[in-house]
């Protein structure tokens, strides 16, 4: 069976937000993408 997962919490920053395919029949994992997250900072608007 093949599953896709995204790592959202981990101690190693280089694996954070990476997307993996897990092949449990063959006991293999393949990284599909490593997304670099950016902090979004929005300022307040005064009316």
């Amino acid at each position: 069976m093949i599953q896709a997962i995204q790592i959202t919490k981990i101690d190693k920053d280089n694996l954070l937000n990476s997307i993996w395919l897990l092949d449990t029949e063959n006991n293999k994992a393949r990284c599909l993408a490593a997304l670099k997250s950016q902090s979004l900072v929005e300022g307040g608007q005064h009316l």
Side-chain angles (χ1 to χ4, degrees):
M1 183 167 134
I2 296 178
Q3 295 177 322
I5 63 166
Q6 180 178 8
I7 297 175
T8 57
K9 292 182 181 178
I10 193 164
D11 292 336
K12 296 183 178 186
D13 289 338
N14 60 339
L15 295 176
L16 187 63
N17 294 322
S18 59
I19 299 171
W20 292 78
L21 280 183
L22 304 178
D23 184 351
T24 55
E25 292 176 9
N26 295 315
N27 201 28
K28 293 184 179 182
R30 178 176 290 189
C31 181
L32 295 179
L35 307 175
K36 185 168 185 160
S37 63
Q38 293 181 342
S39 299
L40 179 62
V41 178
E42 295 183 12
Q45 185 176 14
H46 299 283
L47 299 175

